[in-house]
Amino acid sequence: AGAARTAQWLVIGLSISVAGFLTAGAFWLRRRIGPPLERTARVCSAIAEGRLDTQAPSGNRQDEIGQLETALHGMATRLRGIVGDVRGGSGLMFQGASEISQANEHLSSRTEQSAASLEETASSMEQMTVWNWLLWLVSNFQMTRSKPIPKQINNKCYNTNDRNGYHSRYFI
């Protein structure tokens, strides 16, 4: 009976010691692993929210947590670089689009000016054609009134004489 009781106290004491060691080990692991993981989680959350100016831990440790911190630091640095490049590229695209827009406006203006100039030229040519045709008609009428010309085709114009001996031309 005495030996059983001693063995029972020995098992209880050993169990309490093991529980104490396990509790101390858990606290030690919590203090050793917890803060770096919490810091890394905060940095990941900040980056996910778009705050790219958040500094990631540099990973001074030589264990898995240090490797995680080093990878996170490299990812954040590269992500900042990529976003900076995209912003720079979009600025260049905006500048290029603005230049294209201005060039289109200048081209449109020049096209309108050319159209107006062409319209003026066409109107002037029409006036000149009518005026020249009238001058030609009057001069030919005066020259041909005195002597009739037989019917002939000349430069797509028909020359005819009517019954009274008057010469006339008409165009096709």
Side-chain angles (χ1 to χ4, degrees), residues 11 38 46 52 70 72 81 100 124-125 129 137 150:
V11 169
E38 288 173 1
L52 298 178
T70 301
L72 181 62
I100 289 171
S124 298
M125 292 295 292
T129 302
L137 185 65

Side-chain angles (χ1 to χ4, degrees), residues 58-72:
S58 59
N60 296 331
R61 297 171 56 144
Q62 300 301 319
D63 57 0
E64 290 81 7
I65 301 225
Q67 292 173 355
L68 177 66
E69 289 175 343
T70 301
L72 181 62

Side-chain angles (χ1 to χ4, degrees), residues 65-85:
I65 301 225
Q67 292 173 355
L68 177 66
E69 289 175 343
T70 301
L72 181 62
H73 180 74
M75 181 194 74
T77 302
R78 283 188 293 280
L79 188 59
R80 276 191 291 274
I82 289 169
V83 169
D85 291 345

Side-chain angles (χ1 to χ4, degrees), residues 113-154:
Q113 291 173 354
S114 296
S117 176
L118 184 60
E119 197 173 303
E120 288 178 23
T121 303
S123 176
S124 298
M125 292 295 292
E126 184 179 327
Q127 289 174 358
M128 286 174 46
T129 302
V130 170
W131 182 250
N132 286 340
W133 182 78
L134 285 174
L135 287 175
W136 175 84
L137 185 65
V138 168
S139 67
N140 278 334
F141 183 72
Q142 290 173 354
M143 287 192 300
T144 59
R145 198 151 152 74
S146 57
K147 47 184 171 174
I149 303 175
K151 184 177 178 180
Q152 65 183 10
I153 297 177
N154 186 10

